[in-house]
């Protein structure tokens, strides 16, 4: 990687923009990274277990599949703006810890209800709504905590390291998840993710970093929310990128709903084969994340994001063809590989850009505002996906997915993002 070196050994920082922070110990990023890795492996298992539970064990209709897919994202629409404001008010490490504990409890309740024979679709939706509510705060704190652990000039590398680990989890985790589902059943496999959140909470609780809360008497929640929204959407680069990303998440929510129905029903994938499909996407995301910083330096951050975003419509056009041809299963693997590669290259550069141009005092709000809108778009996309499959079938829904991904890429290409070259310390 172009900007190599051990990030765990380069976590002594002071904020060049905001100031006022003490140095983080050298082990801080290592613990944060390890916590993220363990949680990512658990999430990768759930990516296999949850669709199998919903589609094959609970026998959900296409529309119910869409509702379940949307449930964990709905809290972003309700709580996202508030979570961002309070993340900038509160210390971020405790938020990380308690959000992980809450997610562990809400996810762990699913296998318990299954074992006593009480689990129904509506109960699953309620638990995923609760899971999503904790996730709103957890992710707002996660994306805003990293710049307190590493210098801003190394954020592309730091995000790439996290993405590499997440991609490795997506590579090995689905295969592991498919095996666990086959051996223990989908509900019990979900316990792996619940336990991973407990370990995540313990590791983040052990991080030593100085966090001071700014005490002001003139605080006004509405004013703080508006300030975060202005920065996210009035900024010449972040604004158009945010809108493009919202369109991307709508397409992705649509795509993932159709994917589970196409693979598990139309193409007859087993749980293990479905796990392998996700593992291929994860392995290619790992390759993309490995070269993300180097490509970002070579092309510039903006052009790298645009180039990666242009790969998604190609990937899902291939997925649409897979629904029509006899070689559909093999073609679907190719499509998911391309999707994973694009995600690995894009994500580290996009997150580093946002973290670099946003002052620390606004970072919680900006991250939460954008993520809230992203997850809301994903929820609407998931619901639309279930409805579209029921109305026009998976083939034409996948064609629509490819078109919407192309619109997201076009919005990014037409924006000032084309001239954004990189980050600075």
């Amino acid at each position: 990687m172009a900007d190599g070196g051990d990030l765990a050994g380069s976590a002594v920082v002071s904020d060049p923009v905001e100031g006022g922070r003490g140095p983080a110990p050298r082990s801080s990023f290592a613990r944060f990274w390890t916590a993220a890795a363990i949680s990512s492996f658990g999430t990768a298992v759930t990516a296999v277990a949850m669709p199998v539970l919903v589609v094959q064990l609970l026998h959900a209709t296409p529309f119910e599949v869409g509702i379940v897919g949307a449930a964990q994202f709905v809290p972003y629409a309700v709580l996202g703006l508030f979570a961002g404001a309070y993340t900038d008010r509160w210390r971020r490490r405790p938020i990380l810890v308690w959000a992980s504990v809450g997610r562990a409890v809400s996810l762990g309740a699913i296998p318990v209800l299954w074992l006593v024979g009480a689990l129904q679709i509506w109960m699953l939706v309620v638990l995923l709504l609760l899971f999503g509510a904790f996730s709103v705060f957890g992710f707002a704190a996660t994306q805003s905590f990293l710049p307190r652990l590493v210098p801003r000039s190394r954020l592309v590398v730091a995000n790439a390291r996290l993405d590499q680990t997440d991609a490795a989890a997506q590579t090995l985790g689905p295969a592991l998840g498919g095996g666990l589902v086959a051996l223990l059943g989908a509900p019990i496999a979900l316990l792996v993710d619940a336990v991973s959140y407990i370990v995540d909470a313990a590791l983040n609780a052990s991080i030593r970093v100085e966090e001071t809360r700014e005490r002001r008497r003139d605080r006004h929640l509405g004013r703080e929310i508006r300030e975060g929204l202005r920065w996210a959407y009035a900024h010449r680069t972040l604004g158009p990128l945010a809108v493009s990303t919202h369109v991307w998440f709508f397409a992705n929510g649509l795509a993932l709903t159709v994917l589970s129905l196409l693979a598990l029903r139309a193409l007859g994938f087993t749980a293990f084969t479905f796990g392998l499909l996700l593992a291929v996407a994860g392995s290619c995301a790992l390759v993309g994340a490995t070269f993300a910083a180097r490509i970002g330096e070579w092309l510039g951050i903006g052009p790298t994001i645009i180039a990666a975003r242009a790969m998604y419509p190609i990937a899902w056009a291939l997925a649409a063809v897979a629904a029509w041809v006899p070689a559909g299963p093999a073609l679907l693997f190719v499509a998911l590989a391309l999707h994973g590669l694009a995600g690995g290259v894009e994500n580290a550069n996009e997150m580093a850009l946002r973290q670099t141009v946003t002052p620390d005092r606004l970072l919680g709000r900006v991250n939460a505002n954008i993520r809230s809108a992203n997850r809301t778009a994903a929820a609407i996309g998931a619901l639309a996906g279930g409805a579209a499959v029921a109305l026009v079938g998976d083939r034409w829904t996948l064609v629509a997915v490819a078109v919407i991904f192309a619109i997201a890429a076009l919005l990014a290409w037409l924006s000032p993002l084309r001239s954004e070259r990189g980050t600075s310390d």
Side-chain angles (χ1 to χ4, degrees):
M1 189 171 289
D3 192 10
D6 186 0
L7 281 169
S10 58
V12 179
V13 302
S14 60
D15 193 328
V17 178
E18 298 296 322
R21 286 196 277 117
R26 290 177 179 271
S27 63
S28 295
F29 179 79
R31 296 185 185 193
F32 181 77
W33 189 6
T34 303
I38 293 171
S39 180
S40 291
F41 270 93
T43 301
V45 172
T46 294
V48 178
M50 189 64 73
V52 173
L53 172 64
V54 174
V55 174
Q56 295 186 345
L57 298 185
L58 296 178
H59 306 290
T61 66
F63 187 65
E64 287 174 332
V65 173
I67 292 175
V68 171
Q72 62 181 302
F73 300 134
V74 169
Y76 286 91
V78 178
L79 299 174
L81 297 179
F82 302 99
Y86 283 112
T87 297
D88 283 337
R89 287 186 181 187
W90 299 337
R91 290 190 296 270
R92 290 163 187 170
R93 186 187 62 174
I95 298 175
L96 289 175
V97 173
W98 288 110
S100 291
V101 171
R103 283 180 284 190
V105 172
S106 54
L107 196 60
I110 296 173
V112 173
L113 288 170
W114 173 263
L115 288 173
V116 300
L119 185 64
Q120 299 179 37
I121 287 289
W122 73 266
M123 295 178 183
L124 184 61
V125 169
V126 170
L127 288 170
L128 289 177
L129 286 170
L130 184 61
F131 177 90
F134 285 110
S135 296
V136 174
F137 285 89
F139 281 115
T142 296
Q143 294 175 334
S144 307
F145 192 53
L146 182 60
R148 297 188 175 185
L149 302 179
V150 298
R152 293 201 172 204
S153 61
R154 296 179 63 80
L155 282 172
V156 174
V157 180
N159 279 293
R161 294 286 175 84
L162 292 170
D163 286 348
Q164 284 175 313
T165 306
D166 186 61
Q170 291 177 34
T171 301
L172 300 176
L176 173 63
L180 287 174
V181 169
L183 181 65
L184 303 174
I188 304 303
L190 292 174
L191 280 176
V192 174
D193 199 7
V195 172
S196 77
Y197 280 116
I198 294 296
V199 178
D200 176 291
L203 284 169
N204 280 320
S206 70
I207 293 175
R208 290 184 297 129
V209 62
E210 181 181 338
E211 291 193 279
T212 58
R213 287 182 294 181
E214 184 183 357
R215 299 185 181 275
R216 289 167 43 189
R217 294 182 179 180
D218 61 341
R219 283 194 181 278
H220 185 277
L221 183 62
R223 184 166 57 246
E224 292 174 21
I225 289 173
R226 289 192 296 273
E227 186 180 15
L229 287 170
R230 279 196 301 271
W231 189 273
Y233 293 102
H235 192 280
R236 65 180 297 274
T237 303
L238 288 188
L241 177 59
V243 173
S244 169
T245 304
H246 301 338
V247 175
W248 186 98
F249 269 89
F250 175 80
N252 200 57
L254 193 68
L256 293 181
T257 299
V258 184
L259 177 66
S260 62
L261 292 166
L262 174 67
L264 292 170
R265 284 189 180 164
L267 298 181
F269 281 21
T270 65
F272 183 70
T273 307
F274 186 62
L276 288 179
L277 177 67
L278 299 182
V280 166
S283 63
C284 290
L286 175 59
V287 173
T290 300
F291 294 99
R294 185 175 300 174
I295 296 171
E297 287 187 353
W298 175 44
L299 295 178
I301 281 188
T304 297
I305 295 170
I306 294 170
R309 197 151 287 189
M311 295 169 64
Y312 296 109
I314 299 172
W316 288 95
L318 291 175
V321 175
W324 262 294
V325 299
L331 200 56
L332 191 59
F333 272 86
V334 174
L336 266 290
L338 190 58
H339 180 94
L341 182 65
V345 171
E346 176 187 9
N347 191 63
N349 286 281
E350 183 176 352
M351 280 306 307
L353 175 62
R354 190 191 309 170
Q355 291 164 342
T356 301
V357 303
T358 305
D360 186 78
R361 66 182 180 82
L362 290 170
L363 197 51
R365 279 167 281 177
V366 169
N367 280 327
N369 293 344
I370 293 176
R371 192 177 186 90
S372 174
N374 287 344
R375 283 349 191 231
T376 302
I380 296 171
L383 290 172
V389 171
L391 289 173
V392 301
D394 48 23
R395 295 178 175 89
W396 289 109
T397 303
L398 284 169
V399 171
V401 166
V403 171
I404 298 169
F405 271 122
I407 292 172
L410 183 62
L411 288 172
W413 182 74
L414 292 174
S415 76
L417 190 63
R418 286 184 298 177
S419 60
E420 184 65 49
R421 303 306 302 175
T423 60
S424 58
D425 198 353

